[in-house]
């Protein structure tokens, strides 16, 4: 009897999807009503009417924002986004 091990690599977008989830969790933990993702800026959130950056995050590139939005946008609407 021979055992064959097959490994499937993670999807390329998985780390960014995890980052979106992490950002949303952070915003929720702070009671934020909105999360803002802009290129050339750190992610920011609105808490009690005030917009403030998420201090633990670095600035996002345009590619970061585009790929994170693609991960959370349903397939039929991705092209429009």
């Amino acid at each position: 009897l021979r055992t064959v091990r097959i490994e499937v690599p993670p999807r390329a977008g998985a780390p960014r999807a995890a980052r979106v989830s992490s950002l949303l969790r952070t915003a929720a933990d702070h009671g934020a009503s909105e999360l803002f993702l802009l290129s050339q800026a750190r992610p920011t959130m609105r808490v009690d009417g005030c917009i403030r950056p998420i201090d633990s995050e670095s600035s996002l590139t345009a590619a970061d924002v585009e790929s994170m939005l693609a991960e959370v946008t349903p397939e039929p609407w991705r092209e429009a986004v």
Side-chain angles (χ1 to χ4, degrees):
L1 184 63
R2 182 175 165 189
T3 302
V4 177
R5 183 176 174 181
I6 300 173
E7 291 186 28
V8 178
R11 282 185 21 185
R16 286 197 169 103
R19 189 167 182 199
V20 170
S21 293
S22 174
L23 289 170
L24 289 169
R25 223 175 289 114
T26 298
D29 290 347
H30 285 88
S33 59
E34 297 173 70
L35 173 66
F36 301 97
L37 304 176
L38 303 167
S39 64
Q40 309 308 315
R42 289 189 302 183
T44 57
M45 58 188 166
R46 183 186 309 269
V47 178
D48 296 327
C50 297
I51 297 176
R52 61 183 189 171
I54 299 176
D55 294 328
S56 60
E57 293 292 323
S58 58
S59 292
L60 301 171
T61 65
D64 289 334
V65 174
E66 186 176 322
S67 62
M68 285 192 280
L69 289 177
E71 287 293 329
V72 297
T73 303
E75 183 65 40
W77 300 319
R78 283 188 187 164
E79 196 164 318
V81 172

